[in-house]
Amino acid sequence: MNILIKPIITEKATAASELRNCYTFAVNTKANKVEIKKAVEAAYGVSVEKVRTINVRPDRSTKFTKTGIQHGKTNAVKKAIVQLAEGEMIDLYSNM
């Protein structure tokens, strides 16, 4: 089971990494906090202090077309906000 899917790089996530040393990742929906902590420590070689998770619900949409009403939804995503120990950092831009 692949736990870390990708890092999330947005304005809010970048500000959190600079100010509070917290990094945001999209993770597997079945992963728990202990597994996420071990995966980040193994992948980036850092020590993790705290892991917070967020389950993002799927967005549903309805479109009215000439062939009828079309229903759709996006996929559900789980995000993990990982806080590192003091003095450690992850360079997400060099791994791309």
Side-chain angles (χ1 to χ4, degrees):
M1 175 168 75
N2 192 9
I3 300 203
L4 295 178
I5 297 173
K6 64 181 179 179
I8 296 175
I9 301 173
T10 60
E11 290 182 25
K12 187 175 181 179
T14 305
S17 67
E18 292 172 356
L19 298 175
R20 291 181 276 133
N21 206 18
C22 294
Y23 296 89
T24 308
F25 295 94
V27 296
N28 190 334
T29 55
K30 298 192 185 299
N32 60 26
K33 292 182 181 185
V34 176
E35 294 172 340
I36 295 167
K37 179 179 178 178
K38 289 179 183 177
V40 171
E41 288 176 346
Y44 295 103
V46 294
S47 61
V48 176
E49 284 187 353
K50 185 189 294 187
V51 177
R52 294 175 290 172
T53 58
I54 305 165
N55 285 314
V56 180
R57 64 176 170 76
D59 291 331
R60 300 185 184 277
S61 64
T62 304
K63 296 176 185 168
F64 298 96
T65 63
K66 62 183 176 180
T67 59
I69 299 174
Q70 301 293 321
H71 299 284
K73 72 176 186 72
T74 60
N75 292 332
V77 179
K78 187 172 193 176
K79 294 180 187 179
I81 301 171
V82 177
Q83 184 172 0
L84 302 182
E86 188 69 31
E88 297 196 4
M89 62 178 291
I90 298 173
D91 189 12
L92 296 175
Y93 300 106
S94 66
N95 294 335
M96 291 181 163

